[in-house]
Amino acid sequence: DGGITQSPKYLFRKEGQNVTLSCEQNLNHDAMYWYRQDPGQGLRLIYYSQIVNDFQKGDIAEGYSVSREKKESFPLTVTSAQKNPTAFYLCASSRNGPPDTQYFGPGTRLTVL
Amino acid sequence: SQQGEEDPQALSIQEGENATMNCSYKTSINNLQWYRQNSGRGLVHLILIRSNEREKHSGRLRVTLDTSKKSSSLLITASRAADTASYFCATLNSGNTPLVFGKGTRLSVIA
């Protein structure tokens, strides 16, 4: 059953802590993306990667970091520098770069206590 | 830098009726895509229309694109309660920059 998975589904953290969100795909896609969605809002791009060991900042990269050491994995770290991290985080992948259809994971809801 | 803007923000219809959602954008595009999101879930791709296409069909979905007006519409015919979701348009500009998503239209189909 191919697809893109995110874990955990719900995540709670205390202020000042870093937290890492997992994103894995077995679709053999080259490109992967991280988005943030706030209630009633659209998606805003945090980071994207078109190839292993390379990634670019999106519109709201401040306070976040990523790595792309393996083709199938693109973890996102929400650092303590992110002022308002409570949100729904969505990971996506596409076969090649941006022109292609994106396939989304189920999302992780992060709540900062 | 959100480009696509959906209209209306929310739409409520009876089952069996047609639902029309519109998307306007600001700059030239390579293609425009429509996605659906059920509450608390990831997005699912519905349909892609290229800048040189004017209309595309997929099952009960019909998408039109008017590049002169920089707008697109998504029509869902004979709606069902299961169509209740948020619908987003996403535009791909020329070059290799990622998709830009709008804020979405929340569709409620009442049985």
Side-chain angles (χ1 to χ4, degrees), chain A residues 16-85:
Chain A
Q17 288 181 337
N18 291 356
V19 62
T20 297
L21 282 59
S22 167
C23 178
E24 305 274 332
Q25 53 98 1
N26 62 3
L27 301 166
N28 200 32
H29 285 173
D30 284 328
M32 297 186 75
Y33 313 81
W34 273 106
Y35 295 92
R36 170 184 172 135
Q37 186 178 32
D38 293 284
Q41 300 295 311
L43 279 65
R44 291 185 290 170
L45 183 66
I46 304 172
Y47 270 99
Y48 67 104
S49 167
Q50 298 193 58
I51 197 167
V52 173
N53 292 323
D54 187 45
F55 47 83
Q56 288 81 43
K57 291 182 179 180
D59 297 322
I60 55 166
E62 186 175 347
Y64 300 97
S65 66
V66 293
S67 62
R68 186 86 189 276
E69 297 175 4
K70 298 186 295 182
K71 188 175 185 177
E72 58 270 23
S73 179
F74 190 41
L76 173 75
T77 297
V78 185
T79 74
S80 56
Q82 170 49 235
K83 298 303 176 195
N84 186 20

Side-chain angles (χ1 to χ4, degrees), chain B residues 46-60:
Chain B
L46 295 176
I47 199 163
L48 180 155
I49 187 164
R50 292 186 171 78
S51 59
N52 61 353
E53 297 176 310
R54 291 297 166 258
E55 188 169 311
K56 215 163 178 183
H57 296 256
S58 176
R60 293 185 296 114

Side-chain angles (χ1 to χ4, degrees), chain B residues 66-95:
Chain B
D66 187 335
T67 52
S68 67
K69 294 181 180 177
K70 292 187 169 58
S71 69
S72 172
S73 67
L74 170 67
L75 169 67
I76 303 174
T77 60
S79 63
R80 306 165 182 167
D83 293 328
T84 295
S86 290
Y87 292 82
F88 295 88
C89 70
T91 53
L92 180 75
N93 301 337
S94 55

